Amino acid sequence: MLNFSDLLPYTDVFLGGLATTLQLTLLTTVLGVIVGTLCASIRQYGNKPSQRAVAAYVELIRNTPFIVQLFFIFFGLPSIGLLLTPWQASVIALTINLGAYSTEIIRAGLSNIPKGQWEAAKVLGMNFRQTLVRVVFTPAFEKIYPALTSQCIIVMLGSAVLSQISVQDLTYAANLVQSRNFRAFESYVVTALMYLGLAMLMRYIFGLIGKRVFAFREAS
Amino acid sequence: MIEFSNWDILRNLLFAMQWTILLSLIAFISGTSVALGLTAVRLTRNPVMTRFVKVYVELFQGTPLLMQMFLCFFGLSMIGYEISAWGAAILSLTLFTSAFLVEIWRGCIDTLPKGQWEASRVLGLSFLQTLRHVILPQATRVAFAPTVGFSVQVVKGTALASVIGFVELTKAGTMLNNATFEPFKVFAFVALLYFALCYPLSLCSKYLEKKYHVAR
Amino acid sequence: MSLVKLDQVHKYYGDFHVLKGIDLDIKAGEVVSIIGKSGSGKSTLLRCINGLEEYQQGGISVDDKEVTSEDIQVRRLALSVGMIFQNFNLFPHLTVGENIMLAPTIVLKKSKAEAQTIAKAMLEKVGLGDKFGSYPEKLSGGQQQRVAIARALAMNPKVLLCDEITSALDPELVGDVLKVLEQLAKEGMTLVLVTHEMNFARDVGDRVVFMHQGKVWEEGNSKKLLSDPETEELKQFIGAVL
Ligand SMILES: Nc1ncnc2c1ncn2[C@@H]1O[C@H](COP(=O)(O)OP(=O)(O)O)[C@@H](O)[C@H]1O
Ligand SMILES: [Mg+2]
């Protein structure tokens, strides 16, 4: 009854979708973590009003569904004159989403840095920015790296929703294939497994990067 | 064309929100029950069973919730199990919720010091007695905050049921958008309503975390 | 008659040979101090005696019953062997009283009233009669350790194993705990202690067992052994701790 070979003619469709999902993930992971790092620094060290603004952003995003954020950006913003392609809307939505979650995660790392580190750097004559970048970031990120990895994977999996604004990602491919060959079960199983593979791949790659970045542990 | 006032939009959304709440409640309760069962299975330390739970968690945490919903809805009916959008949403949200909760709870149980098990053992407590009197009372306290915190993910997860055609808050939003052509307003309302549901849960989770963190 | 008897006990962690043929014979009422460098296998030895760790060769018996790490065995053993840990391991969600009453009620099936009477008596004994309703976190380390002793005593054990029970305490709190042990020794309780308190081992203990590299390197009367060690290793060890 199950027949996976009916999927074979659509290999290119699947691969195209996979490529789109990969590209979007790569791009928005980088952008999202940058946004998160900036916002976390503001949240931890900024003045009161900017701290409040970041907190509001984080709470707003964390307490609403991604699909609603996406619809708001893609359908809502054009009505106030900001026209976006599905791809642009996706990049913005994913970045904003990951940015909010990673802000919260990275801030936890920053707040864990002992005061003594700051004082030691000050005694050595380093200014705020130098201390943050050279002294604080590495141990802070090391601490929260597993949580950050998991969050990036969650956002990647959440990107399946982009198919709803006709971004031709992996989920879009699955829908397309099953509408052509009426093999919904097979198509979705295969796609789900591809997502699973992507998630494992991300964990692996994050692990490799982490090993390099936090290599000072091995040396000691 | 019918004119929609702000109140009309809000009224329709509020009505649909009832379904979001109901779906969230059912998914959370059934997800919790399944997670309890899986946690019990894991605690038996039977290697085969532990392995099963591990694969279960990996599978449902490692694939998109939307894909799980498609599989439950279109996939199951294709292979002969008719299921409504409502049923598919509940089924997939239950799987999703239980996979995350079982993992969250594993963390809570495993972070208890090994000494608690050993002290119980040398006092002569059986495995089940240790669980019941020593481990679970402590683990549930620790687990309270993250479990409530996860309920936010469940509420947000129900939004995906809109994609398979179940009319809850998000679906009502897209329908109203099609009728009013006021996407900015409609989706802002939708977002605010979700916020009104989720933010109190987030606050509650934060409060619990503080409370039990201090108590330990 | 011997209460605890070890006969050529060998224990491995994987390939690592931790205990290399331990013979030991402890009589009822004896106070035996086990000393030795960190990593020499002292904790492992204690944990084998009460079945927390399994051993691969030889035999251990307590009160003429064989010890294995089978769950059911450990539970039977718990009735005759009490153990106190370096970091107390009190149950933080239970009051001091509940900590002590838990095992007597659910393992020995004593009534609540009976368990309460025992708990209060044991707390008096360790000098903490007023702490029955307190939670462990409100107590000092020394007080927590004395509660742990009371908890073990409430099971009316024949022998009490103590693994460096004063090592995690602030120096000024050590005395209170040692005093309790001394009292127990006077009352005839059999004690097996891993300890770094040489004065205590000499003055209160009957016998000292010096462990080195997984073996009983030297043993004998505590006063004699500590003032007049035979082996080079023990001389070095005593030199290092004094
Ligand atoms: N669970 C374990 N797994 C592997 N090796 C262990 C374990 N527990 C202890 N060891 C090793 O066994 C040796 C003896 O440990 P232990 O009995 O704790 O020594 P002591 O109490 O005398 O300091 C040490 O080298 C230690 O590293
Ligand atoms: Mg030790």
Side-chain angles (χ1 to χ4, degrees):
Chain A
M1 199 176 59
L2 287 182
N3 185 347
F4 285 94
S5 60
D6 277 2
L7 299 179
L8 283 178
Y10 300 98
T11 309
D12 285 350
V13 180
F14 279 119
L15 287 182
L18 185 65
T20 305
T21 295
L22 262 175
Q23 281 168 17
L24 277 169
T25 300
L26 191 65
L27 182 62
T28 55
T29 298
V30 173
L31 291 178
V33 172
I34 291 175
V35 170
T37 308
L38 286 176
C39 289
S41 305
I42 295 172
R43 184 87 172 80
Q44 185 72 12
Y45 308 113
N47 56 22
K48 267 269 140 51
S50 60
Q51 281 191 1
R52 288 234 179 83
V54 169
Y57 154 60
V58 169
E59 292 304 338
L60 197 63
I61 296 302
R62 277 162 38 108
N63 290 293
T64 50
F66 176 64
I67 189 171
V68 175
Q69 296 160 16
L70 183 71
F71 285 174
F72 182 78
I73 289 168
F74 183 66
F75 297 117
L77 292 188
S79 70
I80 57 164
L82 208 68
L83 230 84
L84 297 166
T85 65
W87 175 274
Q88 289 165 338
S90 300
V91 172
I92 294 173
L94 286 171
T95 302
I96 287 179
N97 190 269
L98 180 58
Y101 280 95
S102 51
T103 296
E104 199 60 10
I105 294 171
I106 294 168
R107 186 173 80 100
L110 291 178
S111 65
N112 251 323
I113 299 297
K115 241 181 148 175
Q117 296 283 303
W118 283 96
E119 287 163 359
K122 197 167 193 174
V123 172
L124 292 172
M126 295 167 82
N127 66 24
F128 174 80
R129 209 183 54 84
Q130 287 168 328
T131 310
L132 193 61
V133 174
R134 308 243 162 179
V135 178
V136 170
F137 272 160
T138 312
F141 271 91
E142 186 191 20
K143 187 110 191 174
I144 51 92
Y145 198 67
L148 193 60
T149 304
S150 298
Q151 192 58 49
C152 291
I153 291 173
I154 287 175
V155 171
M156 181 276 285
L157 295 174
S159 76
V161 168
L162 302 178
S163 59
Q164 297 307 304
I165 58 166
S166 49
V167 171
Q168 304 192 351
D169 73 337
L170 193 47
T171 304
Y172 185 91
N175 284 333
L176 186 74
V177 170
Q178 72 95 14
S179 71
R180 297 241 180 103
N181 69 1
F182 306 109
R183 289 271 169 212
F185 189 81
E186 292 87 336
S187 176
Y188 290 132
V189 163
V190 166
T191 312
L193 289 179
M194 286 164 92
Y195 274 109
L196 188 62
L198 261 183
M200 288 168 157
L201 182 72
M202 277 179 77
R203 204 166 278 288
Y204 177 72
I205 292 175
F206 267 79
L208 285 187
I209 296 174
K211 243 192 198 142
R212 279 203 70 129
V213 174
F214 306 120
F216 66 96
R217 288 279 175 227
E218 317 272 307
S220 61
Chain B
M1 215 187 96
I2 324 160
E3 280 296 315
F4 280 84
S5 68
N6 283 351
W7 170 240
D8 286 329
I9 294 176
L10 199 59
R11 199 167 40 102
N12 279 296
L13 289 178
L14 279 171
F15 182 78
M17 190 163 97
Q18 294 174 4
W19 289 102
T20 293
I21 295 173
L22 189 64
L23 188 55
S24 305
L25 276 176
I26 294 178
F28 188 73
I29 291 168
S30 60
T32 309
S33 318
V34 174
L36 275 176
L38 289 173
T39 301
V41 162
R42 211 180 62 81
L43 279 170
T44 61
R45 295 182 181 168
N46 174 320
V48 180
M49 294 309 232
T50 319
R51 181 97 210 140
F52 165 76
V53 176
K54 222 177 143 173
V55 170
Y56 180 94
V57 168
E58 187 89 2
L59 218 54
F60 292 107
Q61 284 197 353
T63 56
L65 175 58
L66 183 61
M67 201 48 64
Q68 294 163 28
M69 243 176 228
F70 282 163
L71 255 175
C72 289
F73 188 55
F74 301 111
L76 284 186
S77 67
M78 269 308 160
I79 59 171
Y81 300 94
E82 276 311 325
I83 189 166
S84 63
W86 167 251
I90 287 176
L91 180 58
S92 54
L93 281 166
T94 300
L95 295 171
F96 168 82
T97 305
S98 58
F100 275 88
L101 284 183
V102 89
E103 191 64 6
I104 289 173
W105 296 347
R106 184 178 74 91
C108 297
I109 292 172
D110 289 357
T111 50
L112 294 182
K114 221 174 117 209
Q116 294 289 306
W117 288 95
E118 290 188 344
S120 309
R121 211 173 155 191
V122 299
L123 284 171
L125 272 65
S126 71
F127 176 75
L128 284 178
Q129 285 174 330
T130 306
L131 264 187
R132 162 142 188 257
H133 296 281
V134 178
I135 302 302
L136 291 183
Q138 296 183 62
T140 41
R141 279 185 206 199
V142 187
F144 227 52
T147 303
V148 172
F150 187 74
S151 71
V152 175
Q153 308 300 325
V154 180
V155 175
K156 292 192 294 177
T158 63
L160 295 185
S162 66
V163 178
I164 57 172
F166 180 71
V167 184
E168 39 61 79
L169 187 47
T170 304
K171 183 72 187 175
T174 48
M175 288 159 73
L176 281 167
N177 175 37
N178 291 338
T180 62
F181 302 107
E182 291 197 273
F184 191 87
K185 192 193 284 172
V186 169
F187 287 117
F189 272 145
V190 172
L192 279 180
L193 288 178
Y194 274 110
F195 189 81
L197 280 181
C198 294
Y199 190 56
L201 290 172
S202 296
L203 284 182
C204 178
S205 161
K206 239 178 223 158
Y207 166 77
L208 289 171
E209 194 179 313
K210 272 215 190 89
K211 180 171 164 190
Y212 287 119
H213 209 74
V214 174
R216 270 181 65 82
Chain C
M1 203 202 75
S2 59
L3 182 60
V4 180
K5 195 167 166 48
L6 281 79
D7 178 25
Q8 278 300 306
V9 173
H10 288 265
K11 154 98 194 153
Y12 297 81
Y13 283 121
D15 289 338
F16 181 51
H17 200 168
V18 195
L19 299 181
K20 301 169 184 165
I22 304 281
D23 287 314
L24 204 59
D25 206 321
I26 296 168
K27 293 183 184 42
E30 244 191 318
V31 176
V32 178
S33 311
I34 300 176
I35 60 173
K37 276 196 292 204
S38 170
S40 54
K42 308 180 297 293
S43 298
T44 308
L45 178 64
L46 282 200
R47 294 164 62 84
C48 284
I49 293 178
N50 70 1
L52 276 179
E53 297 282 353
E54 53 187 17
Y55 52 94
Q56 280 75 36
Q57 228 178 300
I60 300 180
S61 62
V62 173
D63 209 12
D64 278 334
K65 289 194 258 325
E66 170 136 27
V67 176
T68 69
S69 69
E70 293 292 311
D71 199 44
I72 193 75
Q73 270 286 340
V74 176
R75 301 195 56 205
R76 197 135 44 87
L77 207 59
L79 304 180
S80 40
V81 182
M83 176 145 185
I84 311 180
F85 301 87
Q86 182 172 344
N87 47 4
F88 332 134
N89 290 339
L90 293 179
F91 305 132
H93 62 298
L94 301 178
T95 62
V96 165
E98 290 165 342
N99 259 280
I100 303 174
M101 288 162 61
L102 182 65
T105 44
I106 67 176
V107 178
L108 302 180
K109 311 286 183 210
K110 290 194 193 301
S111 73
K112 211 164 169 180
E114 205 180 341
Q116 196 164 5
T117 313
I118 296 173
K120 288 202 164 132
M122 293 307 143
L123 273 179
E124 284 301 336
K125 196 178 194 123
V126 299
L128 293 172
D130 56 334
K131 300 293 184 197
F132 190 85
S134 311
Y135 279 93
E137 61 177 354
K138 299 275 186 261
L139 306 184
S140 73
Q143 291 173 328
Q144 290 192 40
Q145 193 60 292
R146 284 186 279 155
V147 172
I149 295 174
R151 184 173 72 175
L153 290 177
M155 296 297 281
N156 196 19
K158 296 202 165 99
V159 51
L160 208 51
L161 310 177
C162 307
D163 191 357
E164 301 198 26
I165 66 171
T166 56
S167 298
L169 301 179
D170 293 334
E172 70 271 19
L173 302 175
V174 170
D176 292 340
V177 174
L178 292 184
K179 230 182 284 160
V180 171
L181 286 184
E182 192 173 344
Q183 181 61 33
L184 288 176
K186 267 199 204 124
E187 292 169 9
M189 172 63 75
T190 314
L191 295 174
V192 183
L193 337 126
V194 172
T195 185
H196 295 302
E197 302 289 335
M198 291 304 150
N199 292 333
F200 185 84
R202 180 174 48 230
D203 301 339
V204 181
D206 300 310
R207 184 147 58 109
V208 165
V209 173
F210 172 58
M211 294 212 29
H212 187 66
Q213 295 181 345
K215 290 186 187 134
V216 174
W217 206 257
E218 198 176 334
E219 68 169 313
N221 175 283
S222 55
K223 291 178 185 65
K224 182 168 171 304
L225 196 90
L226 290 177
S227 54
D228 184 19
E230 277 180 18
T231 61
E232 204 47 49
E233 287 79 5
L234 181 54
K235 276 180 201 156
Q236 260 179 20
F237 179 78
I238 292 174
V241 290
L242 290 185

